[in-house]
Amino acid sequence: MAQKPTSTGPSQRQQRVAELVRHALAEVLQRGDIQDPVLGTHVVTVPEVRMSPDLKLATAYVMPLGGLDEAPVIAALERHRKVLRQEVARRVNLKFAPELRFRRDETFDEAARIDKLLRDERVQRDLESGSEDDEPETGTGH
């Protein structure tokens, strides 16, 4: 009897709902529905939302444009969590409106770290010496 494979990532349902919540949050933030001096002066991107398996908790990863004033922006989002939850509930048809958490999006930092590593002179040297080894051999190849 075949065993059911264990899931290592979010289910399709979690991903679909996460995208709906992400779009709803982005729309609310873009339209400026939240009256807050910090949010009013920053463009906030929501690159990713992750849902808990029961869909009752949504973790939104956010980043102000340019990466400036991250802490005040996240604090402002936390202050307006209830209103944002109501707006998401209005836009996304779910049995329960998910509880919202806001976290700093660290993908830009990770991309910058990888870029810095790739630009390192030792890596460049290895890439140059490695390309000589990759050239096809000419011969009969038995």
Side-chain angles (χ1 to χ4, degrees):
M1 184 177 236
Q3 288 184 339
K4 195 175 184 183
T6 58
S7 176
T8 56
S11 68
Q12 279 188 327
R13 185 168 183 241
Q14 283 173 276
Q15 290 175 341
R16 187 180 73 242
V17 172
E19 271 303 293
L20 292 172
V21 171
R22 185 181 77 79
H23 282 279
L25 276 173
E27 182 183 335
V28 171
L29 293 171
Q30 179 186 16
R31 290 184 54 190
D33 292 346
I34 306 299
Q35 300 302 317
D36 185 276
V38 175
L39 295 177
T41 58
H42 291 83
V43 176
V44 180
T45 60
V46 187
E48 182 181 10
V49 171
R50 293 183 190 162
M51 298 299 298
S52 63
D54 63 1
L55 304 180
K56 290 186 178 182
L57 176 65
T59 303
Y61 293 87
V62 297
M63 177 64 73
L65 196 62
L68 302 173
D69 303 327
E70 296 167 3
V73 167
I74 291 175
L77 291 169
E78 289 289 340
R79 275 195 309 274
H80 298 287
R81 185 189 333 211
K82 287 183 181 179
V83 175
L84 288 166
R85 183 180 184 188
Q86 290 170 345
E87 290 297 323
V88 166
R90 262 187 351 101
R91 289 169 167 79
V92 180
N93 186 19
L94 293 171
K95 188 173 185 178
F96 300 102
E99 182 72 30
L100 298 175
R101 284 194 309 198
F102 297 97
R103 300 286 182 264
R104 179 182 179 276
D105 181 35
E106 296 180 359
T107 55
F108 296 110
D109 294 341
E110 185 65 14
R113 188 185 70 80
I114 291 170
D115 191 47
K116 182 179 175 188
L117 282 173
L118 291 174
R119 293 178 192 272
D120 185 79
E121 63 185 45
R122 292 172 294 186
V123 173
Q124 292 297 321
R125 184 181 61 235
D126 289 349
L127 288 174
E128 289 169 9
S129 68
S131 63
E132 295 167 3
D133 297 339
D134 293 339
E135 292 181 22
E137 295 179 18
T138 56
T140 56
H142 283 265

